[in-house]
Amino acid sequence: MLFRSTLSDTPRVSYKEAILNGLPPEGGLYVLDSVMDMRQFFLYMDSETTFQELLSAISPVLLQGELNPLTASEVAIDAFDFEPELQPLDEHYSILNLYNGPTGVFKDFGIAYIAALIEEFAPYDKKTMVLSAARRDTGVSIAHAFDKRKNIISVILYPSGTIHGLDEAAFVENGGGVLPIQIDGTFDDCQRLITETMKDRDFVGRYSVTTANAINVGRLLPQTFYYLYAFIKVKKRLSSDLRFSVPCGNFGNLIAGLYAWKFGMPVNGFVAAMNANNAFANFFSGRTITPKQRLTTISPALDVCFPSNYERLVSFYDEAPLVMRNMVFPQSIDDETTRSTMKEVWMKYGIMLDPHTAVAFAAAKKSAEIKNEEYHTVVLATGHPAKYAEVVSETLGETVAIPEKLAVIKKECKPTACIPPHLDTLESTIASCF
Ligand SMILES: *Cc1c(COP(=O)(O)O)cnc(C)c1O
């Protein structure tokens, strides 16, 4: 399986190179170049197959020559002490719970796997620096996944006042591998600093820098696996077409689903579920996303005006625009409908949805109504309801039980350094800690 940059005429690279580079040196983002048909490998799997078994069987085939079956299985076991969980509701809907990881959001899957793979792929005799921007709990997920990895330092950039839930024993100054730096600025400043650092080829070479942010294609592959997992769990019960409904912010999860389809997963469509920040609305006319004012909603992870995976989306549509039009169905859901859907699902099935999952559920319903066709839709539950306990309990009038692991990550932490949002300050801060 090879990767290339979204810019044309750049060299093809292996998965290992793509992961360790983070971003292509030429610019753009890595996308899949050649795709294998994996149907023969997962069509025979049945609902008894575990997530780790699926990974151990499929990843060495996808990464032939890069990951042998034994290592693939070790990486899967090392990365995951949690699993996706398919919860059938009725003839028309199932929910794929992706919130069983350490921080209660689906991002734990991509982060856990990329951390285990970077450790496997990185040189033994040299430190590798993994630079990431984080807000809310992504930092906790990254620090958790990268803690105690051989020869890896995980530098995490936070916007002002958002560091919490880290284990201070894991910090570099205490002998661990985590270096939290607070940037006096916004999350966008943190992301810009990462892009700028990655362009400083001198610095990147000296410290072997890569990133664990979703711009690294290494985060997408493990997300592809849970679509395949959902398919093997649901396939026996299917009597109609299969769809997935995906709450979309930066569109990484949707791209992972599209890769699963490219690997041969039989699926009839994806609902791209957005909130009022409907970044996809203008995409079809002229293939651009017009940046709009960001609206604040009750599903904050979807409050994205310009998705970081935009170039990857474009590469799909450039390849086969008509096919994509029949494969991806964008829907926009307002807060009121999000809340009424949370209530409806609670009344009908006794299940609490977090607001992001409710956006996807509402979008799936709306999409099926418009076309007036029968589907079975797997709705991706991307967040644990307890993460958004306030909105959930206010909407349902019920108290939401908070699992202990999610309660702990609210505790505030002191960063190792607080710096202004300038590239030279960042680079000298990092250098002084190495
Ligand atoms: C990050 C996030 C999303 C959006 O996922 P993308 O891959 O950025 O589209 C959806 N729901 C929750 C709960 C999230 O944390």
Side-chain angles (χ1 to χ4, degrees):
M1 189 169 62
L2 291 175
F3 293 81
R4 63 176 167 83
S5 163
T6 42
L7 302 179
S8 57
D9 293 332
T10 53
R12 272 52 178 160
V13 301
S14 65
Y15 193 50
K16 174 175 171 172
E17 281 173 276
I19 283 187
L20 293 181
N21 285 346
L23 289 174
E26 303 84 9
L29 294 176
Y30 282 120
V31 286
L32 264 178
D33 181 54
S34 47
V35 191
M36 297 174 65
D37 189 338
M38 301 293 294
R39 229 170 299 204
Q40 54 170 318
F41 294 97
F42 60 81
L43 280 185
Y44 76 86
M45 292 181 184
D46 60 22
S47 53
E48 301 297 309
T49 310
T50 68
F51 187 57
Q52 286 181 342
E53 284 167 357
L54 179 136
L55 255 77
S56 307
I58 289 184
S59 57
V61 183
L62 278 175
L63 304 177
Q64 235 156 43
E66 298 195 70
L67 207 61
N68 64 48
L70 186 68
T71 320
S73 146
E74 279 167 8
V75 167
I77 291 167
D78 177 23
F80 296 111
D81 57 0
F82 53 96
E83 280 209 322
E85 179 192 3
L86 189 88
Q87 200 174 0
L89 299 187
D90 57 27
E91 198 188 331
H92 296 299
Y93 296 101
S94 296
I95 296 203
L96 182 64
N97 288 337
L98 300 172
Y99 53 61
N100 295 325
T103 69
V105 290
F106 80 94
K107 294 179 180 73
D108 287 332
F109 280 91
I111 292 169
Y113 194 69
I114 200 178
L117 261 192
I118 288 179
E119 186 180 40
E120 175 60 34
F121 285 159
Y124 293 123
D125 52 349
K126 197 169 172 245
K127 279 206 163 76
T128 296
M129 177 160 87
V130 183
L131 187 58
S132 320
R135 66 181 150 184
R136 297 190 213 102
D137 304 322
T138 311
V140 181
S141 186
I142 292 173
H144 182 89
F146 281 93
D147 185 23
K148 300 195 184 66
R149 299 250 170 227
K150 274 191 297 296
N151 276 344
I152 292 174
I153 303 281
S154 170
V155 180
I156 311 176
L157 308 186
Y158 291 86
S160 305
T162 59
I163 307 191
H164 55 84
L166 301 185
D167 173 9
E168 289 178 17
F171 289 6
V172 165
E173 67 251 42
N174 300 324
V178 177
L179 184 64
I181 299 179
Q182 180 171 299
I183 304 295
D184 190 10
T186 60
F187 181 67
D188 289 340
D189 289 320
C190 299
Q191 281 194 306
R192 176 181 48 79
L193 278 172
I194 294 199
T195 318
E196 284 177 12
T197 312
M198 302 298 281
K199 281 191 186 142
D200 182 349
R201 302 311 298 166
D202 227 33
F203 188 82
V204 166
R206 192 165 346 126
Y207 294 103
S208 306
V209 185
T210 184
T211 175
N213 277 138
I215 47 177
N216 192 324
V217 74
R219 285 251 308 255
L220 296 182
L221 195 68
Q223 293 178 211
T224 300
F225 296 144
Y226 56 61
Y227 284 92
L228 303 179
Y229 182 79
F231 172 75
I232 63 171
K233 297 279 159 180
V234 83
K235 68 178 178 184
K236 252 207 198 125
R237 294 189 299 111
L238 282 183
S239 56
S240 52
D241 284 355
L242 173 66
R243 280 184 166 195
F244 284 87
S245 184
V246 187
C248 293
N250 279 310
F251 285 79
N253 226 352
L254 180 71
I255 306 262
L258 293 172
Y259 282 153
W261 164 55
K262 292 245 155 173
F263 292 155
M265 177 179 72
V267 53
N268 306 85
F270 294 88
V271 179
M274 287 159 288
N275 64 22
N277 291 287
N278 186 359
F280 215 79
N282 299 331
F283 186 74
F284 287 119
S285 45
R287 209 67 65 68
T288 52
I289 287 177
T290 324
K292 285 188 276 190
Q293 189 76 23
R294 184 147 80 112
L295 304 171
T296 303
T297 71
I298 56 167
S299 44
L302 311 186
D303 293 348
V304 176
C305 302
F306 195 88
S308 60
N309 278 298
Y310 168 70
E311 289 156 286
R312 290 194 175 114
L313 267 184
V314 171
S315 78
F316 270 101
Y317 284 84
D318 279 351
E319 222 169 82
L322 273 177
V323 178
M324 294 309 294
R325 244 170 251 211
N326 289 310
M327 204 59 198
V328 178
F329 308 98
Q331 287 295 342
S332 168
I333 300 296
D334 61 22
D335 277 356
E336 198 189 322
T337 314
T338 307
R339 285 190 198 271
S340 61
T341 305
M342 286 161 74
K343 277 187 219 155
E344 187 191 315
V345 171
W346 174 243
M347 301 292 278
K348 195 164 169 192
Y349 306 104
I351 290 176
M352 285 187 182
L353 299 184
D354 95 295
H356 305 83
T357 309
V359 167
F361 204 101
K365 274 187 66 179
K366 197 166 151 190
S367 191
E369 276 160 17
I370 290 170
K371 293 204 85 181
N372 203 15
E373 283 174 28
E374 296 256 307
Y375 301 104
H376 188 86
T377 306
V378 175
V379 177
L380 266 55
T382 48
H384 195 294
K387 301 275 297 196
Y388 301 92
E390 230 168 86
V391 176
V392 175
S393 75
E394 177 192 293
T395 306
L396 304 182
E398 299 279 333
T399 34
V400 183
I402 316 264
E404 165 141 8
K405 68 175 179 194
L406 298 186
V408 178
I409 62 183
K410 291 245 181 309
K411 196 178 136 242
E412 285 199 22
C413 298
K414 262 213 170 73
T416 298
C418 300
I419 60 168
H422 305 310
L423 182 64
D424 44 354
T425 324
L426 174 65
E427 291 186 348
S428 58
T429 307
I430 292 172
S432 71
C433 294
F434 260 62

